[in-house]
Amino acid sequence: MSLQRRHLSLALVVLLTATAGCTGLLGSEQGPGGTTTATTSADANGPAPGSSGFDAAAVERGHFATLSDSSFTTSLSFRLSTVRDGENRSVFINRTVAVDRESGRSLSTGELVQPNGDALVTTTYTADGTTTERRVLARGDEDLTDYRTASAPYDGQVQPVNDSGVIDRSLLQSLGADIDWTYAGTETVDGVAVSRFEASGGDITGFAADDAVSANVSANGTVDSASAAVLVDGDGVVRSFHYRVTTERDGQPVTVTLSLSVSRVGDTTVTEPDWLSEAEGRRS
């Protein structure tokens, strides 16, 4: 099966918004829209939503309904590895977002590592209608640090931590698009019982990145192998998702992996970062 340009666009929308101006891998976030409470129950498939196995619609509803009212922490990582001019080259993007509903604070940390080793780490803290951002660019032996601040209404590059967009809705919708999920049992994640569903083969579609990735994984490539696994709790929250595809472009191997986890639901606390006073001192 040909790997279409859209094959790998879901999570890069939310991976590292703060670095959108520094890499072509990133797009804009989408909010969740309206949410409704999912109807869930334990059944032969464990705590999976619905009584007939994987119910993507129930997962989508339950995931956003639960996280819209709860504190939580989510981590997302993306890696593209290929070979160019005889050398292994990889791009890493990692992002962690912590949302504390009780205090009204949110903190996100994103890391972009280029094939040449340059790394950009962006940390964004939002509280009381103000967002402060720290960017640290590591290039060779030099570290460059920059601070930026903005307040509502936001109309510039600095934007508040978007807790509604940390998991793009298109990801959840893609889970139910022409994918034959197989129930693989129950297990425990973060102390919570979950149902595990797996899928494999070239028919797995919808999990993708935008133009920058498509330039490496093109429509001329063929899928050598593809696999995905999703772990869902009884409320419909996607506690873990992993996707991996290997293909070939211009005779060279290309591997793309995407991983997501949601943890500490109802039990996430965000405190002021230790660099906040330095950022405020530079503004004064």
Side-chain angles (χ1 to χ4, degrees):
M1 173 182 175
S2 294
L3 195 62
Q4 303 300 324
R5 289 180 64 83
R6 70 180 185 86
H7 179 75
L8 280 165
S9 163
L10 59 100
L12 294 182
V13 178
V14 297
L15 271 172
L16 201 60
T17 302
T19 64
C22 304
T23 171
L25 288 175
L26 306 172
S28 58
E29 292 188 344
Q30 296 179 359
T35 56
T36 57
T37 302
T39 301
T40 61
S41 62
D43 55 32
N45 286 343
S51 59
S52 59
F54 190 83
D55 186 336
V59 170
E60 182 184 353
R61 293 193 305 269
H63 185 92
F64 282 100
T66 301
L67 298 188
S68 292
D69 294 330
S70 302
S71 300
F72 64 91
T73 300
T74 183
S75 298
L76 200 155
S77 65
F78 169 86
R79 176 176 180 175
L80 185 148
S81 301
T82 187
V83 176
R84 185 175 298 174
D85 299 327
E87 296 183 359
N88 293 323
R89 299 175 65 85
S90 298
V91 174
F92 301 88
I93 301 177
N94 302 302
R95 190 186 188 201
T96 299
V97 176
V99 176
D100 184 344
R101 300 288 186 196
E102 185 173 348
S103 69
R105 299 170 177 169
S106 298
L107 181 72
S108 71
T109 301
E111 178 185 30
L112 167 66
V113 182
Q114 302 271 18
N116 63 1
D118 290 353
L120 175 65
V121 177
T122 302
T123 308
T124 306
Y125 174 69
T126 298
D128 300 322
T130 298
T131 297
T132 304
E133 178 182 279
R134 180 182 71 169
R135 293 190 178 194
V136 180
L137 176 62
R139 179 174 293 165
D141 295 330
E142 184 179 22
D143 288 348
L144 303 174
T145 302
D146 180 42
Y147 296 97
R148 304 178 183 182
T149 300
S151 299
Y154 296 93
D155 58 2
Q157 288 187 337
V158 176
Q159 294 292 314
V161 178
N162 188 346
D163 60 303
S164 65
V166 291
I167 303 171
D168 181 32
R169 200 177 190 93
S170 65
L171 165 59
L172 300 181
Q173 293 170 340
S174 296
L175 296 178
D178 303 321
I179 299 177
D180 184 15
W181 292 103
T182 299
Y183 172 67
T186 59
E187 52 192 271
T188 301
V189 174
D190 198 32
V192 176
V194 297
S195 290
R196 182 183 184 92
F197 295 88
E198 299 175 345
S200 62
D203 290 335
I204 301 176
T205 60
F207 309 123
D210 55 24
D211 292 344
V213 173
S214 298
N216 290 279
V217 185
S218 71
N220 295 324
T222 56
V223 176
D224 295 325
S225 66
S227 61
V230 59
L231 279 62
V232 186
D233 70 17
D235 293 322
V237 176
V238 177
R239 292 286 183 149
S240 178
F241 171 79
H242 183 77
Y243 173 68
R244 176 185 174 91
V245 60
T246 60
T247 184
E248 185 177 284
R249 179 175 184 262
D250 298 332
Q252 301 297 332
V254 177
T255 301
V256 174
T257 58
L258 174 67
S259 298
L260 162 76
S261 67
V262 176
S263 62
R264 302 189 66 83
V265 177
D267 188 33
T268 289
T269 300
V270 174
T271 58
E272 290 186 355
D274 55 11
W275 49 262
L276 189 62
S277 58
E278 181 179 353
E280 293 174 343
R282 292 198 181 187
R283 294 201 309 269
S284 61

